[in-house]
Amino acid sequence: DQQVKQNSPSLSVQEGRISILNCDYTNSMFDYFLWYKKYPAEGPTFLISISSIKDKNEDGRFTVFLNKSAKHLSLHIVPSQPGDSAVYFCAARGGSNDYKLSFGAGTTVTVRA
Amino acid sequence: EAEVAQSPRYKITEKSQAVAFWCDPISGHATLYWYRQILGQGPELLVQFQDESVVDDSQLPKDRFSAERLKGVDSTLKIQPAELGDSAMYLCASSSRLAGYEQYFGPGTRLTVT
């Protein structure tokens, strides 16, 4: 039962342009959402997060938007840089005292020079 | 900067053999997680520890997998016997209340079962 879905397995974007990654979830009890970035042969590294009580969080070039009514969140990267080429995972936390993360399948971003 | 350590980084084993992975979390992190990531999928939680106690092992195939964290610090995940379908990346992560419960991942162990 996939509770977090990333329906786009890959994204190619030109350097300097905006990358938009999408994520949908089904469990309305999720209270915290995170994006992780993963390079080959490395573990995922935390990128940015958002609480379910907010609709936007910004950190430098990265902004996450949350639409609770649509159970949808997105990650915007602007401007995209070659070092952003990686796999991006959307994750959601269970809520209350449940800190387990449910992950999407990931989106592979390729930034073209 | 503190990191989660894992070893080995790569492991090749034949099916029916036993294999073990080790994880040392960030110092002071009470919660430790083992995930399995199959290529093309997101990480899936296998087991979660709070100190030395198992909090969640609902997705751990207990007929062949075992995990322990005897002193509430480092942890070992074991598979016996290994099967072809166990080929995956095994990731360890840790978190703490003071760190906002954000999970920090180690580099993982890439297991190939032949």
Side-chain angles (χ1 to χ4, degrees):
Chain A
D1 180 20
Q2 195 77 10
Q3 298 188 75
V4 179
K5 296 182 181 180
Q6 294 176 256
N7 292 318
S8 297
S10 63
L11 172 69
S12 180
V13 63
Q14 192 166 12
E15 182 179 1
R17 307 296 290 268
I18 185 171
S19 294
I20 300 177
L21 291 79
N22 294 303
C23 177
D24 297 294
Y25 63 95
T26 58
N27 188 342
S28 59
M29 297 301 292
F30 287 145
D31 71 340
Y32 201 69
F33 302 90
L34 307 91
W35 285 93
Y36 282 84
K37 177 179 179 180
K38 185 180 184 303
Y39 292 118
E42 295 183 13
T45 56
F46 170 74
L47 192 58
I48 191 170
S49 62
I50 187 167
S51 166
S52 61
I53 62 173
K54 296 188 175 182
D55 56 16
K56 178 182 176 181
N57 187 28
E58 189 173 354
D59 183 1
R61 297 186 296 114
F62 303 92
T63 303
V64 57
F65 297 92
L66 175 62
N67 182 334
K68 282 189 68 177
S69 61
K71 294 190 177 68
H72 176 84
L73 64 155
S74 62
L75 173 68
H76 292 207
I77 307 172
V78 56
S80 300
Q81 298 176 354
D84 297 331
S85 296
V87 179
Y88 291 78
F89 291 102
C90 172
R93 200 172 69 187
S96 186
N97 290 320
D98 181 3
Y99 298 106
K100 179 175 66 179
L101 292 180
S102 297
F103 284 84
T107 297
T108 300
V109 173
T110 303
V111 180
R112 308 185 312 271
Chain B
E1 183 175 302
E3 295 180 342
V4 176
Q6 288 188 249
S7 67
R9 292 291 307 274
Y10 303 91
K11 180 70 178 178
I12 300 174
T13 191
E14 294 181 349
K15 63 179 181 179
S16 80
Q17 295 299 304
V19 63
F21 315 129
W22 177 80
C23 172
D24 191 12
I26 293 173
S27 178
H29 281 198
T31 311
L32 185 147
Y33 313 80
W34 283 101
Y35 288 88
R36 176 172 60 187
Q37 186 195 357
I38 296 171
L39 195 62
Q41 299 180 21
E44 175 192 25
L45 181 70
L46 292 174
V47 61
Q48 176 183 344
F49 288 92
Q50 181 66 30
D51 298 308
E52 67 276 9
S53 300
V54 173
V55 173
D56 184 348
D57 63 356
S58 57
Q59 299 302 312
L60 189 71
K62 298 180 188 63
D63 56 334
R64 297 184 300 107
F65 285 64
S66 64
E68 60 183 17
R69 194 184 183 198
L70 294 177
K71 297 182 179 178
V73 182
D74 58 338
S75 175
T76 302
L77 178 70
K78 297 179 181 177
I79 308 174
Q80 182 175 17
E83 296 180 352
L84 295 177
D86 297 331
S87 295
M89 174 77 85
Y90 290 83
L91 295 161
C92 179
S94 69
S95 69
S96 74
R97 180 176 57 84
L98 292 178
Y101 291 109
E102 282 162 5
Q103 295 185 22
Y104 295 86
F105 284 82
T109 297
R110 168 69 67 187
L111 173 66
T112 302
V113 182
T114 61

